[in-house]
Amino acid sequence: MVSSHPAQVDTRSRRRAAVPPRPKERVTGLLLVLGSLTAVAPFATDMYVPGFPAMGAALHTSSATIQLTMTAFLAGMVAGQILLGPLSDSLGRRRLLIGGSAGFILFSLVCALAPNAYALMAARFLQGAAGAVGMVLARAVITDRFHGPDIPRYFAVLSQILGVAPVAAPVLGGAVLAVSTWRAVFWVLCLIGVLLLVGVLLKVPESLPPERRHGGGLSGTFRAMGRLTRNRPFMGYVLVLGFSSAALFAYISGSSFVFERVHHVSAGMYSLIFAVNALGMLLAGTAFARLARHIRLNVLLSLSVAVAATGTLAQVLVTALLGESFTGTWITLFVVMCGIGMIFPATMSLGQNIGRTAPGAASALLGGLQFLCGAIASPLVGAFGESSSLPMATIMLVSLALAVLTLLCLVRPRRGHGEISTTP
């Protein structure tokens, strides 16, 4: 890989590159829509999980086949980000956002009407690809329009939404299933898609004017992505985000078994534990947005990776040496979630700043690898057993150890790659 020098972008050129900020009320509306676009994919991932048993019975198939519909959705999300993120650097953001929102509506409708599991699987893949458009382009739009200390603050907001959405989605899905069938969940997602489309039409103007778009068509945009993959610090941030996401997805997929089967807590108590840990992510994101005005982002990233890795190491050591501990597991996982809550906005801010000349391609690589690593890590917890907390903790530790290694070998925080000026 080719190393790059630290990003020392002249303030005047950076201001020219960004679209002038709108009045506060317009910025608030824009961020509300971009946050909703970011949340829709996690909602569509988790909202129908409570209906898995009913879906298997209704579609006359096994639980393993039903679980593959989630894998198909995650695969669609990765493919959608990798393809459409770079394409937006050539075509602009707004048209793709409108098309992606419309596609999400259509494929949610197809899911609701799916006659069998295989049709549902195909529709879920396409739904994931359409839903990925909002997630990948929300980051690109922020990079287009804002600069300086606004960047980490707004990426912290998106990261907080990503922390809350997986908690809220199953709750909303359970409420829908309490009054209707699993198909109603996809009707609700269809309605959410309609609201998003209206929001994009009203609140998200084009953020990439024609004169700033990449020439050379699709091949030109993917050449820009290729250049980013050869940028060692950028790929370091991508991999730190990906490995941290693997730890998060291992926690999401394994924590219910750990707390309900190993520690014998009720489903309601587990929901409380999950919500408290999500609150830790929220608080960490809020702290990051404030600290980013005064402390270098690479310093914050290094500290947050250290906190998350220390939390997982403590959990493994406590379990291995002292046995299963409900209190110890909860405390260490809370610490890990706080660390991850700061890793996400830090890597997004630094990575997008390095890739500012091709924000869509940069966002695609950051988001695509994030969910690819998550999709790989999720099933590993169950594969290594569910009678102990060690499989989940070990997978999380390995993931975060790789994040530490990547930070030291590729990112090299002392060199200050991707730093953002704190001058407003």
Side-chain angles (χ1 to χ4, degrees), residues 371-390:
F371 279 90
L372 178 61
C373 290
I376 292 171
S378 291
L380 291 180
V381 177
F384 286 102
E386 299 165 353
S387 59
S388 166
S389 63
L390 272 178

Side-chain angles (χ1 to χ4, degrees), residues 8-22:
Q8 301 292 337
V9 182
D10 181 77
T11 302
R12 288 174 297 176
S13 63
R14 190 169 56 247
R15 289 183 185 277
R16 285 196 300 267
V19 176
R22 303 294 183 184

Side-chain angles (χ1 to χ4, degrees), residues 67-344:
Q67 289 172 339
L68 282 176
T69 64
M70 180 180 287
T71 303
F73 181 85
L74 292 172
M77 283 186 61
V78 173
Q81 290 187 80
I82 294 296
L83 175 63
L84 297 172
L87 190 61
S88 73
D89 289 332
S90 177
L91 299 179
R93 320 294 186 204
R94 182 174 164 84
R95 282 186 294 174
L96 288 176
L97 281 172
I98 293 172
S101 299
F104 186 82
I105 296 169
L106 173 63
F107 297 122
S108 296
L109 177 62
V110 174
C111 289
L113 301 174
N116 55 60
Y118 299 102
L120 179 62
M121 207 177 298
R124 284 287 283 169
F125 176 84
L126 295 172
Q127 185 192 36
V133 177
M135 179 173 286
V136 69
L137 295 192
R139 294 189 292 264
V141 169
I142 286 178
T143 308
D144 290 338
R145 291 179 59 89
F146 303 103
H147 54 81
D150 288 334
I151 291 284
R153 185 166 76 249
Y154 295 151
F155 278 130
V157 172
L158 297 188
S159 298
Q160 289 172 313
I161 291 170
L162 282 174
V164 171
V167 180
V171 175
L172 179 58
V176 172
L177 289 167
V179 297
S180 188
T181 69
W182 63 268
R183 295 185 185 273
V185 172
F186 293 104
W187 286 109
V188 171
L189 288 172
C190 184
L191 176 60
I192 291 173
V194 171
L195 296 175
L196 286 177
L197 179 58
V198 173
V200 170
L201 290 171
L202 295 179
K203 296 294 184 180
V204 187
E206 179 57 64
S207 62
L208 188 67
E211 62 271 17
R212 287 172 47 208
R213 296 176 189 175
H214 281 214
L218 188 60
S219 62
T221 62
F222 278 95
R223 280 195 296 271
M225 177 181 276
R227 288 192 291 272
L228 284 174
T229 62
R230 295 189 294 273
N231 184 310
R232 184 169 63 187
F234 173 80
M235 289 306 299
Y237 294 125
V238 169
L239 289 170
V240 170
L241 177 61
F243 291 137
S244 302
S245 298
L248 176 63
F249 274 77
Y251 160 74
I252 291 173
S253 65
S255 58
S256 62
F257 296 105
V258 168
F259 284 107
E260 293 184 31
R261 294 188 180 179
V262 177
H263 297 293
H264 309 292
V265 305
S266 66
M269 182 62 183
Y270 168 69
S271 297
L272 175 63
I273 294 169
F274 200 87
V276 169
N277 289 352
L279 178 62
M281 287 190 69
L282 281 173
L283 294 175
T286 301
F288 171 84
R290 294 180 179 275
L291 292 171
R293 289 182 170 273
H294 309 288
I295 301 175
R296 292 171 60 239
L297 295 184
N298 277 286
V299 173
L300 290 176
L301 175 60
S302 300
L303 290 173
S304 59
V305 171
V307 167
T310 300
T312 55
L313 178 60
Q315 185 187 0
V316 170
L317 291 177
V318 167
T319 305
L321 299 177
L322 303 177
E324 298 288 353
S325 167
F326 168 74
T327 303
T329 298
W330 189 355
I331 291 174
T332 53
L333 286 174
F334 181 84
V335 171
V336 175
M337 291 304 105
C338 289
I340 290 176
M342 296 184 72
I343 291 172
F344 280 15

